[in-house]
């Protein structure tokens, strides 16, 4: 089986053969990209290429840049392993025809990938992916694809500093340093740039998880290098407790995601969900843009929670739900000021980076903590004003993909009529509703007290499993504690169908 070229490019295990990430696969992928760019009228245009520090990244980077150079493109090859947001930023800054990032983000250590951006710095959309895949299929064998070395380029060497300068412009003068931060780079490539970005924003009291700070493609301290995974942030929270931090920040290995840990009133630390962080950042960004003659746009995906939508509606902004993935979120509408997805992706500067960016999100969170104090308290205040919201996921891994289709069919033809005692109705998002159509089913209901339940069921796009994204929420001022809401959410998740 051949590795497929999807809407984000290629991703898979590093191994020989057409079903693996290897120099041959990358060479032919780049030959296909060359053909597609030429068909778009972009022969000879600038193309930005970057890489992380995973196994194979240096060789895949060399193959990509050399194939592009031999085909006559103006290659801007970033000089060292670095975060994915730098490629998105540089592609937009230089008005390049495309950008390529060699990364598998937070996948396991054995994987690598080939992520493609188009002009403007956003991820490519269909049908471009299918067109590029067809060009890859038609490409000659890898050994027949010409390659030429790429010399050092002052434009490439300047990108990191230009990115930091953009953050200076985005956030303004540094704040008085009064926030102690615990930070982990999760064995990835974002640590140094994140520390510099925080320092330039005024945050110099930064303590790093030493065991996870330097890039290490084996990710020795975590089973999965993803801040969402249980246990992945244990060392970070232990450091935060030890150094009496005010804020804990976790980047994923390519630094396009950022997770935040907060200390509660009882002194214990916990990681916020992506939805909680999305509400915090979205509300803070709206502070910068409201009031406005033209309502600013905030975006979240159909599987994300609705607290940010509630905040935006109350404050006079426009909230847009899109399909999952930042390729959709950054195209939600203008003027876009913020976008997020529950999987810890945040875009706080769409004018410069049209993708998720963990480093700018980290700076924004630190500045919010400096301005407002405890982020746990800020979140509690938002929940008090706009209604308490709790979100969680349940994943059903299957042995055969056909089982997912059977489960989705059951949800469409015989959905639950109640969840946790609340009557619910089902909407087939392939055909129902005014929003984007996709292979998903949404269950919603509200009880007499105004407590609402919402569940979106959809097949995973990358793994053989079905995912439930659940939320329970209350109206503002409701006498329902966080513990009661969590218990209700657990009941909802337990009652969802587990088999066809």
């Amino acid at each position: 089986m051949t590795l497929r070229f999807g809407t984000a490019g290629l991703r898979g295990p590093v191994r020989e053969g057409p079903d693996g990430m290897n120099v041959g696969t990358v060479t032919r992928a780049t030959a296909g990209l060359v053909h597609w760019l030429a068909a778009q009228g972009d022969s000879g245009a600038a193309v930005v290429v970057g890489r992380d520090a995973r196994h194979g990244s240096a060789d895949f980077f060399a193959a990509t840049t050399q194939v592009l150079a031999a085909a006559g493109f103006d290659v801007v090859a970033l000089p060292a392993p670095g975060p994915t947001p730098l490629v998105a930023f540089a592609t937009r800054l230089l008005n390049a025809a495309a950008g390529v990032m060699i990364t598998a983000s937070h996948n396991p250590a054995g994987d690598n990938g080939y992520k493609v951006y188009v002009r403007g710095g956003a991820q490519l959309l269909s049908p471009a992916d299918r067109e590029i895949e067809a060009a890859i299929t038609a490409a000659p064998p890898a050994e027949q694809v010409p390659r030429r070395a790429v010399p050092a380029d002052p434009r490439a060497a300047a990108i990191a500093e230009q990115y930091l300068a953009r953050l200076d412009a985005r956030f303004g003068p540094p704040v008085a340093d009064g926030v102690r931060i615990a930070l982990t780079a999760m064995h990835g490539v974002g640590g140094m740039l994140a520390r510099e970005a925080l320092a330039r924003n005024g945050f110099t009291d930064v303590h790093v998880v030493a065991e996870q700070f330097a890039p290490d493609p084996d990710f020795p301290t975590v089973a999965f290098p993803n801040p969402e995974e249980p246990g992945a942030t244990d060392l970070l929270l232990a450091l935060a407790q030890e150094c009496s931090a005010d804020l804990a920040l976790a980047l994923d290995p390519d630094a396009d995601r950022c997770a935040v840990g907060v200390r509660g009133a009882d002194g214990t630390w916990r990681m916020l969900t992506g939805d909680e962080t999305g509400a915090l950042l979205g509300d803070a960004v709206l502070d910068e843009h409201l009031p406005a003659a033209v309502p600013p746009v905030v975006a979240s995906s159909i599987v994300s929670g609705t607290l940010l939508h509630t905040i935006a509606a109350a404050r006079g902004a426009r909230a847009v739900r899109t399909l999952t993935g930042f390729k959709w979120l950054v195209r939600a509408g203008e003027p876009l000021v913020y976008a997020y997805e529950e999987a810890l992706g945040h875009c706080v500067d769409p004018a410069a980076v049209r993708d998720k960016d963990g480093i700018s999100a980290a700076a924004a969170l630190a500045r919010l903590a400096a301005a407002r104090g405890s982020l746990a308290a800020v979140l509690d205040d938002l929940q008090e004003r706009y209604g308490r919201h709790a979100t969680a996921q349940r994943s059903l891994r299957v042995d055969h993909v056909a089982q997912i289709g059977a489960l989705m069919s059951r949800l469409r033809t015989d959905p639950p009529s109640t969840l946790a005692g609340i009557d619910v109705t089902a909407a087939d998002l392939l055909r129902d509703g005014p929003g984007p159509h996709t292979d998903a089913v949404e269950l919603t209901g509200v009880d007499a007290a105004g407590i609402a339940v919402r569940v979106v069921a959809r097949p995973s796009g990358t793994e053989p499993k079905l995912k439930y994204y659940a939320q329970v929420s209350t109206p503002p001022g409701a006498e329902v504690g966080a513990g009661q809401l969590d218990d209700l959410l657990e009941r909802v998740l337990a009652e969802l169908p587990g088999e066809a």
Side-chain angles (χ1 to χ4, degrees), residues 8 19 55 96 141 144 201 218 349 356 406 416 429 437 471 481 488 492:
D19 63 345
H55 292 297
Q144 296 179 20
N201 274 274
D218 292 319
D349 189 15
K356 52 190 175 294
L429 298 188
H437 291 178
Q471 173 182 275
L488 188 63
V492 168

Side-chain angles (χ1 to χ4, degrees), residues 254-393:
D254 70 328
D256 65 350
R257 288 171 171 84
C258 179
V260 58
V262 299
R263 183 175 52 203
D266 62 356
T268 60
W269 283 85
R270 75 175 181 95
M271 300 303 295
L272 298 184
T273 67
D275 287 319
E276 290 171 325
T277 308
L280 284 169
L281 284 174
D283 183 66
V285 170
L286 288 177
D287 283 343
E288 303 174 76
H289 293 276
L290 289 172
V294 178
V297 174
V298 295
S300 59
S301 72
I302 61 169
V303 300
S304 298
T306 62
L307 178 54
L308 178 58
H309 274 54
T310 302
I311 293 170
R315 299 194 58 185
R318 185 161 70 94
V320 178
R321 282 207 313 173
T322 76
L323 299 175
T324 55
F326 268 82
K327 59 185 176 287
W328 301 108
L329 285 163
V330 300
R331 295 176 170 97
E334 299 298 338
L336 181 69
V337 297
Y338 175 70
Y340 93 94
E341 61 183 0
E342 45 73 40
L344 306 177
H346 306 279
C347 174
V348 300
D349 189 15
V353 180
R354 285 271 159 162
D355 199 9
K356 52 190 175 294
D357 180 355
I359 292 173
S360 60
L365 286 161
R367 293 185 75 104
L368 180 58
R372 300 282 302 277
S374 164
L375 293 191
V378 176
L379 179 62
D380 191 63
D381 178 64
L382 287 177
Q383 300 262 18
E384 187 67 29
R385 281 189 285 152
Y386 298 106
R388 299 203 171 274
H389 292 62
T391 60
Q393 295 180 31

Side-chain angles (χ1 to χ4, degrees), residues 9-352:
L10 297 166
R11 191 176 295 187
V14 178
R15 63 189 181 200
E16 291 305 309
D19 63 345
M21 284 293 298
N22 52 66
V23 170
T25 295
V26 170
T27 297
R28 297 187 74 244
T30 308
L33 178 63
V34 161
H35 179 87
W36 182 79
L37 287 170
Q40 308 305 305
D42 283 320
S43 294
V47 179
V48 177
V49 186
R51 69 193 188 279
D52 66 11
R54 283 178 173 266
H55 292 297
S57 286
D59 291 338
F60 302 162
F61 174 83
T64 302
T65 56
Q66 291 170 13
V67 171
L68 285 163
F73 284 85
D74 179 17
V75 182
V76 183
L78 301 190
T84 294
L86 285 185
V87 172
F89 168 77
T91 302
R92 188 169 178 85
L93 176 74
L94 300 175
N95 193 30
V100 177
M101 178 66 187
I102 306 298
T103 183
S105 190
H106 55 269
N107 274 37
D111 289 357
N112 213 324
Y114 184 98
K115 184 174 185 178
V116 177
Y117 294 94
V118 294
R119 193 180 298 277
Q123 297 176 38
L124 80 167
L125 287 175
S126 289
D129 56 337
R130 300 280 75 86
E131 294 167 353
I132 295 172
E133 187 171 70
I136 294 170
T137 301
E143 59 271 18
Q144 296 179 20
V145 176
R147 292 171 59 165
R148 178 168 62 82
V150 179
D153 186 330
R155 294 172 301 170
I159 292 300
E161 174 56 35
Q162 289 173 304
Y163 172 85
L164 290 167
R166 169 60 200 178
L167 291 190
D168 295 342
R170 164 66 179 84
F171 293 116
V175 301
D177 185 0
V179 177
R180 177 169 294 171
I181 297 171
L183 171 70
T184 180
M186 204 68 71
H187 298 295
V189 292
M192 294 298 292
L193 194 65
R195 286 192 73 170
E196 180 63 22
L198 289 168
R200 289 173 67 144
N201 274 274
F203 304 102
T204 56
D205 191 0
V206 177
H207 300 246
V208 302
V209 178
E211 304 96 315
Q212 298 177 333
F213 192 72
D216 187 331
D218 292 319
F219 307 110
T221 68
V222 287
F224 295 96
N226 180 352
E228 284 188 296
E229 291 289 334
T233 56
D234 286 355
L235 290 175
L236 172 69
L237 296 184
L239 173 64
Q241 182 71 36
E242 178 186 328
C243 73
S244 299
D246 302 298
L247 187 66
L249 298 171
L251 303 174
D252 73 338
D254 70 328
D256 65 350
R257 288 171 171 84
C258 179
V260 58
V262 299
R263 183 175 52 203
D266 62 356
T268 60
W269 283 85
R270 75 175 181 95
M271 300 303 295
L272 298 184
T273 67
D275 287 319
E276 290 171 325
T277 308
L280 284 169
L281 284 174
D283 183 66
V285 170
L286 288 177
D287 283 343
E288 303 174 76
H289 293 276
L290 289 172
V294 178
V297 174
V298 295
S300 59
S301 72
I302 61 169
V303 300
S304 298
T306 62
L307 178 54
L308 178 58
H309 274 54
T310 302
I311 293 170
R315 299 194 58 185
R318 185 161 70 94
V320 178
R321 282 207 313 173
T322 76
L323 299 175
T324 55
F326 268 82
K327 59 185 176 287
W328 301 108
L329 285 163
V330 300
R331 295 176 170 97
E334 299 298 338
L336 181 69
V337 297
Y338 175 70
Y340 93 94
E341 61 183 0
E342 45 73 40
L344 306 177
H346 306 279
C347 174
V348 300
D349 189 15

